[in-house]
Amino acid sequence: MYKYIMILLIVVNINAQEYGKSENGLTHPFFGYKKQIIKEDENQSKKTVIIPKNLENLSADELSEVIKDSKKIAVAFPTDDNIHNYITLQNHATKKSEDFAIKWQQAILRDSSLDLSASAAKSTFARNATTADKAQKRANFWKKHIDKIGVVVFFNKNETSVNQAQNKVLFFLNKDYPELAIRTIYKNDHPALVEKHGVEVTLDIFVVYKDKENNPNWYRVKAGLTTKNQILDNIDFVYQYFITEGEDK
């Protein structure tokens, strides 16, 4: 009998150690008390911002993930410790970034071929020079060809607001080039021209260029509402790749 009592006490003691003390007395595995304790511990860990012991060895992705999770916890449970630890993690990431920037600059100073800003500066200068050259070429072009070029724009009577917007653009185009012949016509009123030049949509903008025999040649510049610069750029393109090539043949 004594042996049975000792065995019972040992079993009870093991259960008590394994499942802990329960305030309601339900310490038997049957009641799932052990699982409840684990669940509470997991929930508690999700409420605390923890600084990893291997913080210095974390990769950039791992550190980013830790900070992301820590921020969620700190916002949800803004305790003093959580805020302190989250700021510590953020400061660590900032310091890493600063160290990276310093090393980057040092590497460039050691090897100038790594410095792309030098070539970028040259590119900027080249672009500015190209823009100035383009403006000069355009001025020379219009001075030479202004009497050979006209602009025709097909409108749709039903698109009043679009027509007004494009007319404002044409106004400023004419202001820059007073001698340029500009004409706006309604698509509905000129079926023969529409068919001949394949006008499908409006607005439809054409440049009309008179060749050596004084024959008008039509070239589409742009379909749809557009800007003054786009019209001028496209006229440059049409002249270089269509008109000039035609004259050279």
Side-chain angles (χ1 to χ4, degrees), residues 7 18 21-22 38 49 57 61 66 69 83 101 103 106 115 118 122 138 152 156 170 172 176 181 199 229 232 248:
I7 292 173
E18 185 176 358
K21 182 180 179 181
S22 172
I38 293 174
V49 175
N57 298 324
D61 290 339
V66 168
D69 292 340
I83 298 299
K103 294 295 183 183
Q106 288 174 339
D115 191 356
K122 292 180 182 178
R138 177 171 288 173
V152 177
N156 187 318
L170 297 175
F172 287 107
D176 288 349
V199 178
N229 287 336
L232 292 173
D248 292 340

Side-chain angles (χ1 to χ4, degrees), residues 48-183:
T48 305
V49 175
I50 300 173
I51 299 177
K53 294 181 180 179
N54 62 334
L55 184 60
E56 289 292 338
N57 298 324
L58 293 179
S59 68
D61 290 339
E62 290 170 338
L63 179 59
S64 176
E65 195 64 28
V66 168
I67 292 175
K68 180 181 176 181
D69 292 340
S70 298
K71 181 180 180 180
K72 292 179 180 179
I73 295 173
V75 170
F77 307 99
T79 64
D80 290 343
D81 288 341
N82 282 349
I83 298 299
H84 176 275
N85 290 347
Y86 173 66
I87 294 175
T88 299
L89 290 169
Q90 282 282 24
N91 289 345
H92 178 75
T94 301
K95 182 64 168 57
K96 285 282 188 181
S97 298
E98 291 174 350
D99 291 343
F100 173 77
I102 291 172
K103 294 295 183 183
W104 180 291
Q105 188 63 24
Q106 288 174 339
I108 287 177
L109 293 177
R110 291 191 187 101
D111 184 355
S112 61
S113 67
L114 298 175
D115 191 356
L116 296 179
S117 63
S119 58
K122 292 180 182 178
S123 297
T124 301
F125 177 80
R127 282 196 299 271
N128 291 338
T130 300
T131 301
D133 183 59
K134 179 180 178 182
Q136 186 59 50
K137 284 184 177 180
R138 177 171 288 173
N140 293 337
F141 167 79
W142 284 106
K143 184 178 180 180
K144 182 179 179 181
H145 298 282
I146 191 71
D147 60 332
K148 300 179 182 178
I149 292 179
V151 173
V152 177
V153 185
F154 286 89
F155 283 0
N156 187 318
K157 289 182 179 180
N158 300 323
E159 298 173 341
T160 305
S161 58
V162 175
N163 297 342
Q164 290 175 347
Q166 192 64 68
N167 266 327
K168 290 180 181 178
V169 172
L170 297 175
F171 170 80
F172 287 107
L173 177 63
N174 188 242
K175 192 173 182 181
D176 288 349
Y177 302 97
E179 297 177 26
L180 176 63
I182 300 176
R183 184 180 179 188

